[in-house]
Each structure stands twice: as C-alpha cells, then as structure tokens.
C-alpha cells in the first residue's frame, strides 16, 4: 500500500485541495510539506501527536518535512477553535517555548542536511514592513471571504480583535515565503485550519501563477467530544516534567471504548493488517487494545524503558492496589494549615482536579476516596501524621489516583 492510501486507510485525511496531484507527489516522495506549531506553551501536548506522527510517516515515505516554529505567528494568536483571545506572550517567552519544541520534535523527526528542516517564522515575519506587506499580499484577500471562514465566524458574536484578524494573512504569507525560498509545495494541518490553509494556496497561485497544495488531517476527539490532549481540564504534555510517563500512559490507557481502535489506527505505526484484526475485539479485549495503545505511544515519546515501567506500574496497581509504582504528590509543611489539609486542597495539589469547585463537586458526588474509604464531606481533613511516612492513596473516579505524602 502506498503512503497516500495508507493515510486514507488510517482515517487521517479530512480535506485536500487537489487529490490527484497530491497523491502523485506524496506517493513519489516529491512533497516538501510543512506543519506549523505556535509556541503558546513550553511543551508540546498530546494534541500535537497527530501532526508529529504524520510528519514521521511522510518522511519515512521519502517526503521532506518542514517543522515550522511559529515564533512570529504566536505574537498574533490563532483564533481558530477559540471563544476568546489568546494570552499575549513576550518575545522572550516565545523564544523559550520554541527551544523546548525543538528538543521534543527531534524524538520524532530526522533533522539534518538533506532531511527535515526546522524553521522559525519569526525570521521573516518580524522583519516585514507593514505597508509593504499590505501592498504585496493584501489585495489577494477578500474581507468578505475571510469573514465567512469558520475560524472567524465563530468569534464574531463575542468579538474578534483586528490583531487576530491578521492571522490568516500571516499564515498564508508563511506558505508563500517557504514556497519561494525552500521549495515547500504542500501544507498540512488540522481540519480546523482549512480556511487559513486555503489562503496560502490561493496567495501562491495568484502571485506566482504556480500550484501549491493543502491537506487537512482529521482532528481526533474523545467520546466526550473534547480535542485530544485534554484530560480532567489539564493538558497532557510530552514533557515528562509536566506529565509523567506514568500519567501519559494512563491517559491513553483510559480512552473510551469507542475511541481506542481509532487512536491505534491514527497514531501508532502498527501494521494496518494487525489493527484490522482488532476490529472485532469486545469487552476485556478492548482493555488489551488500550494497553497496546498506551504502551506504543509512551514508548514513542518517553522510550521503551519508561513505557515498560508505566505498564508494569499500572498493572500492579489495578491487580493488587500496590502503591509502589503509583505517581507521587509530595507536600511540604507550608501546604498545611495548623498541621492539617482538607480533602479539596489535596485534590487540587495532586492535580486530580483543576479547581476547588471541581474538587468539591467530586467529593459531594461520591467520586473521591482515601486509602479505599469514600469521602463525602468536602470539609474532611487529614493530619500531618496521616501524611507522614508512606502517606495516603488519594483516588478520584475509578482510574485517577496519586500517592500523597509529606516531603
């Protein structure tokens, strides 16, 4: 099976501009394509996983990836999928985040001479003269068409800043610039980026009279309809200092039954023949599929050793309640008030909930236990002595737990 057909079979392709031409380029290793990553945090998340694995698949098929770090576009902020304006970051914060992205991407993509490239759009966007930019590309964009774009339309009721309105033009200029300087002939992105991507292909065609292509990939969602990469209100990071390998493993181990095979098909590199055999799996076999998914992705991000440790730890906990391999939240005495701490504060400190209100609801709904005993009073407190030594096992729901102890 050629790579384009494999992408289709894995359910990755949402929309393309020119299927026959794209298929020919991709299957023959003639695509020089880019995917952009805005530097809004100091780590990539599980939500970037789709793009990273796609770049790896394409590179293995002989195509040339460009990982575009959005040092410039992050100064503007992408309104796609947002109900409010993104937080404004300083140039120093953006540069720091860009460096963190680079280190993580190198685990997936083979960079080097004649291989993949890593570029930063700050190198050309930050030096543009605004009037020259308007004269060069402004006439190619219809405001009427831009306002009909989904990424802007969903923001019109709550307010769209002029700053964000420029984002489509900046992203389009990226493609235009890289087409001319680096021979980049294709752009990939999530299906929420379709309008922005069309802007780039049309700009190239109108200004240069040459063909460029765009392809969007299906954004993976879980059974609750949230974008991949979020769990219990928190991002699932690729940085082990922000999301431990165990917690990363547990995130994928806990995906819904309806999503597990879709995730395996889209994100792992297991042969399609093997995955297709899993389509008939039900009941306990789906738990086995979840273990396969969690192991494969944890190994890809954190290495085989960490994946094995996470798998063994999870199995030990579920089979015997053993807390030896459980993720740990260490408290300091400064976290206590009069040598005690209430259960809601414990939930927040251990990151099992994001806010105190969420923690209070979890307790009142009977979803919280300490050392196997259900806690229903949100004012329940633990003493310093109870948290000393081995500490306690704090659990929220069936699958989220932390060992909590004093340093």
């Amino acid at each position: 099976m050629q790579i384009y057909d494999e992408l289709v079979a894995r359910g990755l392709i949402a929309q393309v501009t020119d299927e026959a031409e794209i298929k020919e380029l991709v299957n023959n290793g003639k695509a020089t394509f880019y995917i952009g990553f805005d530097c809004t945090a100091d780590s990539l998340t599980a939500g970037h996983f789709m793009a990273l694995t796609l770049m790896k698949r394409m590179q293995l098929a002989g195509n040339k990836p460009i990982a575009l770090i959005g040092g410039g576009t992050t100064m503007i902020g992408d309104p796609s999928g947002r109900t409010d304006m993104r937080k404004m970051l300083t140039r120093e914060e953006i540069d720091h985040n860009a460096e963190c992205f680079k280190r993580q991407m190198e685990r997936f993509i083979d960079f080097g001479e004649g291989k993949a490239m890593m570029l930063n759009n700050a190198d050309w966007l930050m030096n543009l003269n605004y009037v020259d930019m308007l004269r060069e590309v402004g006439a190619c964009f219809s405001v009427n068409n831009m306002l009909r774009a989904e990424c802007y339309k969903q923001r019109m009721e709550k307010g769209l800043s002029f700053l964000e309105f420029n984002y489509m033009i900046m992203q389009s200029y990226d493609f235009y610039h890289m087409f001319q300087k680096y021979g980049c002939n294709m752009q990939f992105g999530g299906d929420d980026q379709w309008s922005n991507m069309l802007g780039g292909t049309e700009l190239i065609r109108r200004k240069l009279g040459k063909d460029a292509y765009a392809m969007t990939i299906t954004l993976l969602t879980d059974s609750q309809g949230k974008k991949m990469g979020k769990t219990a209100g928190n991002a699932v990071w690729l940085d082990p200092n922000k999301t431990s390998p165990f917690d990363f493993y547990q995130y994928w181990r806990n995906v819904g039954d309806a999503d597990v095979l879709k995730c395996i098909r889209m994100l792992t590199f297991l042969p399609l023949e093997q995955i297709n055999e899993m389509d008939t799996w039900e009941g306990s076999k789906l738990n086995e599929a979840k273990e396969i998914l969690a192991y494969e992705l944890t190994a890809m991000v954190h290495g085989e050793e960490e994946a094995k440790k996470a798998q063994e730890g999870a199995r030990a906990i579920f089979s015997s309640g053993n807390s030896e391999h459980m993720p740990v939240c260490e408290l300091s005495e400064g976290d206590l008030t009069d040598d005690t701490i209430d259960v809601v504060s414990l939930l927040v400190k251990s990151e099992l909930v994001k806010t105190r209100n969420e923690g209070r609801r979890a307790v009142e709904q009977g979803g919280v236990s300490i050392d196997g005993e259900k806690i229903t009073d949100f004012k329940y407190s633990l003493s310093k002595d109870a948290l000393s030594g081995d500490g306690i096992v704090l659990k929220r729901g069936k699958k989220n737990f932390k060992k909590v102890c004093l340093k």
Side-chain angles (χ1 to χ4, degrees), residues 67-351:
L68 181 64
I69 303 295
T73 41
T74 306
M75 299 287 284
I76 304 299
D78 184 3
S80 300
R82 300 284 297 189
T83 57
D84 56 1
M85 196 168 84
R86 294 180 186 273
K87 176 188 173 185
M88 297 284 284
L89 302 178
T90 66
R91 181 70 186 270
E92 290 73 24
E93 289 173 323
I94 292 170
D95 288 345
H96 168 73
N97 293 347
E99 286 301 315
C100 295
F101 278 22
K102 288 178 183 178
R103 291 194 295 271
Q104 292 176 343
M105 286 179 182
E106 287 170 350
R107 292 191 63 90
F108 296 85
I109 314 302
D110 189 7
F111 294 98
E113 188 68 31
K115 299 178 182 178
M117 289 186 286
M118 189 174 290
L119 304 175
N120 189 327
N121 62 17
D123 293 341
W124 55 84
L125 293 180
M126 299 300 289
N127 298 321
L128 288 173
N129 177 286
Y130 187 60
V131 174
D132 289 344
M133 167 77 164
L134 289 177
R135 287 178 61 87
E136 184 174 7
V137 305
C140 297
F141 288 84
S142 161
V143 171
N144 290 5
N145 289 340
M146 291 174 73
L147 290 176
R148 284 194 289 268
E150 197 61 37
C151 60
Y152 292 141
K153 190 165 58 176
Q154 64 187 1
R155 287 290 304 281
M156 293 303 290
E157 291 185 10
K158 293 194 174 182
L160 174 71
S161 71
F162 182 70
L163 177 73
E164 296 170 288
F165 190 63
N166 282 269
Y167 191 90
M168 181 186 291
I169 296 175
M170 304 298 271
Q171 181 172 332
S172 299
Y173 188 87
D174 283 342
F175 197 8
Y176 175 65
H177 175 84
M178 290 186 291
F179 183 94
Q180 295 179 89
K181 187 164 183 179
Y182 300 101
C184 180
N185 54 20
M186 197 175 299
Q187 179 179 188
F188 281 69
D191 54 14
D192 61 341
Q193 291 286 308
W194 185 240
S195 298
N196 291 343
M197 294 166 67
L198 288 179
T201 59
E202 289 303 311
L203 177 60
I204 291 168
R205 292 175 183 184
R206 290 187 63 178
K207 291 289 294 183
L208 304 176
K210 297 180 179 179
D211 284 328
Y213 308 99
M215 178 191 298
T216 61
I217 54 180
T218 305
L219 290 175
L220 187 64
T221 59
D222 61 27
S223 56
Q224 288 74 45
K226 299 174 185 176
K227 282 187 180 179
M228 180 179 65
K230 300 284 185 179
T231 181
N234 297 309
V236 180
W237 305 99
L238 302 193
D239 183 344
N241 295 315
K242 296 169 77 71
T243 297
S244 71
F246 180 90
D247 287 337
F248 188 83
Y249 178 95
Q250 282 298 105
Y251 171 72
W252 297 108
R253 174 63 180 79
N254 292 338
V255 299
D257 289 356
D259 297 321
V260 59
L261 290 178
K262 180 189 287 186
C263 290
I264 290 175
R265 190 169 275 111
M266 286 181 164
L267 300 175
T268 76
F269 286 80
L270 296 175
L272 280 169
E273 294 79 10
Q274 180 181 346
I275 299 170
N276 291 338
E277 290 176 1
M278 300 179 189
D279 282 336
T280 58
W281 287 11
E282 297 177 349
S284 61
K285 291 291 284 183
L286 285 177
N287 287 328
E288 182 181 336
K290 293 176 187 181
E291 281 199 341
I292 291 171
L293 171 68
Y295 182 87
E296 290 292 325
L297 300 191
T298 305
M300 204 182 305
V301 175
H302 299 295
E304 294 279 349
E305 183 177 350
E306 290 294 341
K308 288 176 182 176
K309 285 165 58 178
Q311 187 175 68
E312 290 168 2
R315 286 175 175 174
I317 291 167
F318 284 115
S319 63
S320 64
N322 186 349
S323 65
E324 179 184 352
H325 301 281
M326 195 175 294
V328 177
C329 170
E330 291 187 329
L331 302 177
S332 67
E333 293 200 14
D335 293 317
L336 308 181
T337 302
D338 297 329
D339 288 340
T340 65
I341 185 169
D342 64 272
V343 65
V344 175
S345 296
L346 278 177
L347 288 166
V348 174
K349 293 284 185 184
S350 62
E351 299 182 341

